[in-house]
Amino acid sequence: MTYDEALRLFGLDEDATEADIKLAYKEMAQILHPDKYADNKRLSERANEQFKLVNEARDILLGKKGAARGGAGKGAGRSRGGGQGYSYGESDRASSLKARLAGIAAARTQLTAQLDTERDRRRVGIYLTVGGIIGVIVGFKIRMLEAVGAPALIWGVIQLFSTQANIKMLQEHLDTLEKQRKKCEKALGKL
């Protein structure tokens, strides 16, 4: 991966600071970290591959930034004509925005799949809760049903609460991605 590719992956300009790089890395890590997809092996593997690229890009950007600060300053060794620093051209900016949009689309696909999985788990929690309630009510007459109904009810309620929290978090991430997508598309439209 080249320096410019790493910038495009993070959606950053040539003049990005170390803080900008770290913030972009943190955002990408929140979206693509493989641990978020531990329940889905296929998504976890895909996220792991994407996360390797994110880590490589971070290492390249932070390594080059450190070297640039030790040398002639920002843009050292990257000047074009007249001794000026590298100018981030319109086509480079468009490429960067398109790469960012592609990353957002990939993250959105993964988060949507994760959201579907959590909704399925919530549905199972509802079934367990309803079945558990029925088992406890009928269990007054048939003791064996009460012994099965009570744990099903408890497990169903636990699953409902845990999946609801995950669904809320995933929906917030999807909303954030949607805002970023709109911002990128707006910036792309201005070019």
Side-chain angles (χ1 to χ4, degrees), residues 9-10 25 29 48 50-61:
L9 179 68
F10 284 155
Y25 172 79
N48 192 38
Q50 293 294 322
F51 199 62
K52 287 178 186 176
L53 292 174
V54 169
N55 283 329
E56 181 183 354
R58 179 206 53 203
D59 293 343
I60 288 169
L61 292 175

PDB file of all heavy atoms in Angstrom, residues 9-10 25 29 48 50-61:
ATOM      1  N   LEU A   9      -7.750   5.566   1.845  1.00  0.00           N
ATOM      2  CA  LEU A   9      -8.485   4.611   2.669  1.00  0.00           C
ATOM      3  C   LEU A   9      -9.130   5.307   3.865  1.00  0.00           C
ATOM      4  O   LEU A   9     -10.270   5.030   4.229  1.00  0.00           O
ATOM      5  CB  LEU A   9      -7.561   3.483   3.144  1.00  0.00           C
ATOM      6  CG  LEU A   9      -8.209   2.429   4.034  1.00  0.00           C
ATOM      7  CD1 LEU A   9      -9.213   1.614   3.224  1.00  0.00           C
ATOM      8  CD2 LEU A   9      -7.167   1.522   4.642  1.00  0.00           C
ATOM      9  N   PHE A  10      -8.395   6.247   4.465  1.00  0.00           N
ATOM     10  CA  PHE A  10      -8.904   6.977   5.621  1.00  0.00           C
ATOM     11  C   PHE A  10      -9.705   8.213   5.224  1.00  0.00           C
ATOM     12  O   PHE A  10     -10.283   8.880   6.075  1.00  0.00           O
ATOM     13  CB  PHE A  10      -7.765   7.393   6.549  1.00  0.00           C
ATOM     14  CG  PHE A  10      -7.207   6.275   7.386  1.00  0.00           C
ATOM     15  CD1 PHE A  10      -5.908   6.336   7.850  1.00  0.00           C
ATOM     16  CD2 PHE A  10      -7.955   5.169   7.722  1.00  0.00           C
ATOM     17  CE1 PHE A  10      -5.384   5.320   8.636  1.00  0.00           C
ATOM     18  CE2 PHE A  10      -7.443   4.146   8.502  1.00  0.00           C
ATOM     19  CZ  PHE A  10      -6.153   4.223   8.962  1.00  0.00           C
ATOM     20  N   TYR A  25      -8.307   6.501  12.082  1.00  0.00           N
ATOM     21  CA  TYR A  25      -8.054   5.102  12.441  1.00  0.00           C
ATOM     22  C   TYR A  25      -9.072   4.626  13.475  1.00  0.00           C
ATOM     23  O   TYR A  25      -9.637   3.541  13.355  1.00  0.00           O
ATOM     24  CB  TYR A  25      -6.631   4.931  12.982  1.00  0.00           C
ATOM     25  CG  TYR A  25      -6.389   3.553  13.537  1.00  0.00           C
ATOM     26  CD1 TYR A  25      -6.140   2.478  12.689  1.00  0.00           C
ATOM     27  CD2 TYR A  25      -6.428   3.315  14.902  1.00  0.00           C
ATOM     28  CE1 TYR A  25      -5.939   1.202  13.191  1.00  0.00           C
ATOM     29  CE2 TYR A  25      -6.226   2.041  15.413  1.00  0.00           C
ATOM     30  CZ  TYR A  25      -5.982   0.996  14.552  1.00  0.00           C
ATOM     31  OH  TYR A  25      -5.788  -0.262  15.052  1.00  0.00           O
ATOM     32  N   ALA A  29     -11.637   1.611  13.059  1.00  0.00           N
ATOM     33  CA  ALA A  29     -11.539   0.486  13.992  1.00  0.00           C
ATOM     34  C   ALA A  29     -12.890   0.219  14.658  1.00  0.00           C
ATOM     35  O   ALA A  29     -13.269  -0.939  14.861  1.00  0.00           O
ATOM     36  CB  ALA A  29     -10.473   0.766  15.050  1.00  0.00           C
ATOM     37  N   ASN A  48     -11.704  -8.976   9.621  1.00  0.00           N
ATOM     38  CA  ASN A  48     -10.297  -9.178   9.949  1.00  0.00           C
ATOM     39  C   ASN A  48      -9.399  -8.759   8.780  1.00  0.00           C
ATOM     40  O   ASN A  48      -8.389  -8.087   8.977  1.00  0.00           O
ATOM     41  CB  ASN A  48     -10.049 -10.640  10.331  1.00  0.00           C
ATOM     42  CG  ASN A  48      -8.693 -10.849  10.946  1.00  0.00           C
ATOM     43  OD1 ASN A  48      -8.218 -10.012  11.709  1.00  0.00           O
ATOM     44  ND2 ASN A  48      -8.066 -11.951  10.619  1.00  0.00           N
ATOM     45  N   GLN A  50     -10.176  -6.617   6.339  1.00  0.00           N
ATOM     46  CA  GLN A  50     -10.271  -5.163   6.204  1.00  0.00           C
ATOM     47  C   GLN A  50      -9.468  -4.466   7.307  1.00  0.00           C
ATOM     48  O   GLN A  50      -8.816  -3.449   7.068  1.00  0.00           O
ATOM     49  CB  GLN A  50     -11.736  -4.718   6.260  1.00  0.00           C
ATOM     50  CG  GLN A  50     -12.568  -5.170   5.100  1.00  0.00           C
ATOM     51  CD  GLN A  50     -12.133  -4.536   3.799  1.00  0.00           C
ATOM     52  OE1 GLN A  50     -11.764  -3.377   3.761  1.00  0.00           O
ATOM     53  NE2 GLN A  50     -12.167  -5.305   2.732  1.00  0.00           N
ATOM     54  N   PHE A  51      -9.523  -5.024   8.509  1.00  0.00           N
ATOM     55  CA  PHE A  51      -8.827  -4.410   9.635  1.00  0.00           C
ATOM     56  C   PHE A  51      -7.309  -4.462   9.444  1.00  0.00           C
ATOM     57  O   PHE A  51      -6.595  -3.558   9.860  1.00  0.00           O
ATOM     58  CB  PHE A  51      -9.251  -5.096  10.937  1.00  0.00           C
ATOM     59  CG  PHE A  51      -8.960  -4.283  12.164  1.00  0.00           C
ATOM     60  CD1 PHE A  51      -9.553  -3.045  12.336  1.00  0.00           C
ATOM     61  CD2 PHE A  51      -8.102  -4.747  13.125  1.00  0.00           C
ATOM     62  CE1 PHE A  51      -9.286  -2.289  13.459  1.00  0.00           C
ATOM     63  CE2 PHE A  51      -7.833  -4.004  14.254  1.00  0.00           C
ATOM     64  CZ  PHE A  51      -8.430  -2.763  14.423  1.00  0.00           C
ATOM     65  N   LYS A  52      -6.816  -5.520   8.786  1.00  0.00           N
ATOM     66  CA  LYS A  52      -5.385  -5.592   8.476  1.00  0.00           C
ATOM     67  C   LYS A  52      -4.982  -4.433   7.571  1.00  0.00           C
ATOM     68  O   LYS A  52      -3.930  -3.816   7.767  1.00  0.00           O
ATOM     69  CB  LYS A  52      -5.042  -6.925   7.801  1.00  0.00           C
ATOM     70  CG  LYS A  52      -5.052  -8.107   8.737  1.00  0.00           C
ATOM     71  CD  LYS A  52      -4.761  -9.394   7.982  1.00  0.00           C
ATOM     72  CE  LYS A  52      -4.901 -10.612   8.869  1.00  0.00           C
ATOM     73  NZ  LYS A  52      -4.713 -11.861   8.119  1.00  0.00           N
ATOM     74  N   LEU A  53      -5.821  -4.120   6.588  1.00  0.00           N
ATOM     75  CA  LEU A  53      -5.542  -2.989   5.694  1.00  0.00           C
ATOM     76  C   LEU A  53      -5.559  -1.669   6.462  1.00  0.00           C
ATOM     77  O   LEU A  53      -4.725  -0.788   6.223  1.00  0.00           O
ATOM     78  CB  LEU A  53      -6.558  -2.942   4.555  1.00  0.00           C
ATOM     79  CG  LEU A  53      -6.487  -4.063   3.531  1.00  0.00           C
ATOM     80  CD1 LEU A  53      -7.649  -3.965   2.553  1.00  0.00           C
ATOM     81  CD2 LEU A  53      -5.163  -4.024   2.782  1.00  0.00           C
ATOM     82  N   VAL A  54      -6.506  -1.536   7.378  1.00  0.00           N
ATOM     83  CA  VAL A  54      -6.600  -0.322   8.182  1.00  0.00           C
ATOM     84  C   VAL A  54      -5.335  -0.157   9.031  1.00  0.00           C
ATOM     85  O   VAL A  54      -4.767   0.931   9.122  1.00  0.00           O
ATOM     86  CB  VAL A  54      -7.872  -0.345   9.061  1.00  0.00           C
ATOM     87  CG1 VAL A  54      -7.858   0.770  10.091  1.00  0.00           C
ATOM     88  CG2 VAL A  54      -9.112  -0.261   8.184  1.00  0.00           C
ATOM     89  N   ASN A  55      -4.886  -1.242   9.645  1.00  0.00           N
ATOM     90  CA  ASN A  55      -3.664  -1.186  10.457  1.00  0.00           C
ATOM     91  C   ASN A  55      -2.438  -0.858   9.601  1.00  0.00           C
ATOM     92  O   ASN A  55      -1.575  -0.080  10.007  1.00  0.00           O
ATOM     93  CB  ASN A  55      -3.449  -2.507  11.197  1.00  0.00           C
ATOM     94  CG  ASN A  55      -4.347  -2.642  12.403  1.00  0.00           C
ATOM     95  OD1 ASN A  55      -4.704  -1.665  13.043  1.00  0.00           O
ATOM     96  ND2 ASN A  55      -4.736  -3.853  12.711  1.00  0.00           N
ATOM     97  N   GLU A  56      -2.362  -1.450   8.419  1.00  0.00           N
ATOM     98  CA  GLU A  56      -1.245  -1.165   7.511  1.00  0.00           C
ATOM     99  C   GLU A  56      -1.250   0.310   7.108  1.00  0.00           C
ATOM    100  O   GLU A  56      -0.207   0.972   7.121  1.00  0.00           O
ATOM    101  CB  GLU A  56      -1.342  -2.047   6.269  1.00  0.00           C
ATOM    102  CG  GLU A  56      -0.207  -1.823   5.282  1.00  0.00           C
ATOM    103  CD  GLU A  56      -0.347  -2.658   4.015  1.00  0.00           C
ATOM    104  OE1 GLU A  56      -1.255  -3.511   3.930  1.00  0.00           O
ATOM    105  OE2 GLU A  56       0.465  -2.442   3.101  1.00  0.00           O
ATOM    106  N   ALA A  57      -2.421   0.837   6.790  1.00  0.00           N
ATOM    107  CA  ALA A  57      -2.530   2.245   6.402  1.00  0.00           C
ATOM    108  C   ALA A  57      -2.096   3.153   7.551  1.00  0.00           C
ATOM    109  O   ALA A  57      -1.361   4.124   7.349  1.00  0.00           O
ATOM    110  CB  ALA A  57      -3.961   2.569   5.973  1.00  0.00           C
ATOM    111  N   ARG A  58      -2.536   2.827   8.762  1.00  0.00           N
ATOM    112  CA  ARG A  58      -2.140   3.634   9.926  1.00  0.00           C
ATOM    113  C   ARG A  58      -0.625   3.635  10.097  1.00  0.00           C
ATOM    114  O   ARG A  58      -0.008   4.677  10.300  1.00  0.00           O
ATOM    115  CB  ARG A  58      -2.811   3.085  11.189  1.00  0.00           C
ATOM    116  CG  ARG A  58      -2.422   3.874  12.445  1.00  0.00           C
ATOM    117  CD  ARG A  58      -2.513   3.075  13.702  1.00  0.00           C
ATOM    118  NE  ARG A  58      -1.766   1.839  13.596  1.00  0.00           N
ATOM    119  CZ  ARG A  58      -1.999   0.768  14.333  1.00  0.00           C
ATOM    120  NH1 ARG A  58      -2.957   0.769  15.217  1.00  0.00           N
ATOM    121  NH2 ARG A  58      -1.285  -0.321  14.198  1.00  0.00           N
ATOM    122  N   ASP A  59      -0.021   2.443   9.994  1.00  0.00           N
ATOM    123  CA  ASP A  59       1.424   2.340  10.165  1.00  0.00           C
ATOM    124  C   ASP A  59       2.172   3.152   9.105  1.00  0.00           C
ATOM    125  O   ASP A  59       3.145   3.831   9.407  1.00  0.00           O
ATOM    126  CB  ASP A  59       1.873   0.878  10.109  1.00  0.00           C
ATOM    127  CG  ASP A  59       1.354   0.075  11.289  1.00  0.00           C
ATOM    128  OD1 ASP A  59       0.927   0.686  12.298  1.00  0.00           O
ATOM    129  OD2 ASP A  59       1.367  -1.170  11.208  1.00  0.00           O
ATOM    130  N   ILE A  60       1.690   3.090   7.877  1.00  0.00           N
ATOM    131  CA  ILE A  60       2.330   3.844   6.798  1.00  0.00           C
ATOM    132  C   ILE A  60       2.205   5.341   7.052  1.00  0.00           C
ATOM    133  O   ILE A  60       3.189   6.078   6.958  1.00  0.00           O
ATOM    134  CB  ILE A  60       1.708   3.461   5.429  1.00  0.00           C
ATOM    135  CG1 ILE A  60       2.148   2.050   5.040  1.00  0.00           C
ATOM    136  CG2 ILE A  60       2.089   4.473   4.355  1.00  0.00           C
ATOM    137  CD1 ILE A  60       1.406   1.475   3.851  1.00  0.00           C
ATOM    138  N   LEU A  61       1.014   5.785   7.396  1.00  0.00           N
ATOM    139  CA  LEU A  61       0.792   7.221   7.589  1.00  0.00           C
ATOM    140  C   LEU A  61       1.543   7.759   8.797  1.00  0.00           C
ATOM    141  O   LEU A  61       2.163   8.820   8.727  1.00  0.00           O
ATOM    142  CB  LEU A  61      -0.701   7.513   7.728  1.00  0.00           C
ATOM    143  CG  LEU A  61      -1.531   7.285   6.471  1.00  0.00           C
ATOM    144  CD1 LEU A  61      -3.015   7.485   6.771  1.00  0.00           C
ATOM    145  CD2 LEU A  61      -1.083   8.197   5.342  1.00  0.00           C
TER     146      LEU A  61
END
